[in-house]
Amino acid sequence: MRTHRGRDRDDRGQVALEYIGFVAILLLVGLAAIQLGVAAYAANQAGTGARAAARAASLDAPRAGEPVLDPVAAGTAAVSGWLKPEVAPAGGGGDGVSYTVTITIPSVIPGLGDGFFGTTTRTSTMPKLRQQN
């Protein structure tokens, strides 16, 4: 009967090394999927902020005792605070108002700073409401 005692010792730890290599690849794929989700969330929040700002700017002048709505404040408040949106008028004129929200996409991958994946920008236009007398 042949024994393979010497060969068994040579293979010791091989499975552990293969497992460590595979786990690293799985972690990288998982972080890439999370990063894609964060980018999509940032784009969605930019659209929400742009709509809120344009809606606030399109409203009639407030009645006596009502607060004046600030479109930039409305757009900023509509976005999650950790995304740090930049809200600005986008022109418009005539019967509509437009606002643009730009968000720098945060990075969840270690070693890559915020902004590595660029920015997302969304613009929304709302019709101006007519003044009622």
Side-chain angles (χ1 to χ4, degrees):
M1 180 180 242
R2 264 172 99 177
T3 61
H4 298 285
R5 276 200 165 328
R7 188 171 182 212
D8 287 342
R9 286 190 175 165
D10 292 341
D11 291 344
R12 231 179 206 173
Q14 178 180 354
V15 172
L17 287 175
E18 290 173 358
Y19 182 72
I20 289 171
F22 187 67
V23 166
I25 291 171
L26 282 177
L27 284 173
L28 186 62
V29 169
L31 283 175
I34 292 170
Q35 182 63 57
L36 183 62
V38 167
Y41 181 72
N44 184 21
Q45 287 289 290
T48 299
R51 280 189 305 277
R55 188 177 303 117
S58 72
L59 296 176
D60 291 338
R63 296 181 193 138
E66 291 181 348
V68 176
L69 293 177
D70 178 17
V72 174
T76 302
V79 176
S80 294
W82 61 275
L83 290 174
K84 301 178 189 99
E86 295 175 18
V87 182
D95 289 339
V97 291
S98 296
Y99 271 81
T100 297
V101 174
T102 302
I103 296 176
T104 301
I105 299 172
S107 175
V108 297
I109 299 175
L112 302 178
D114 289 351
F116 181 82
F117 295 100
T119 60
T120 182
T121 302
R122 296 292 183 264
T123 301
S124 183
T125 303
M126 294 278 177
K128 290 181 183 176
L129 297 177
R130 302 280 184 235
Q131 289 282 353
Q132 295 179 355
N133 294 333

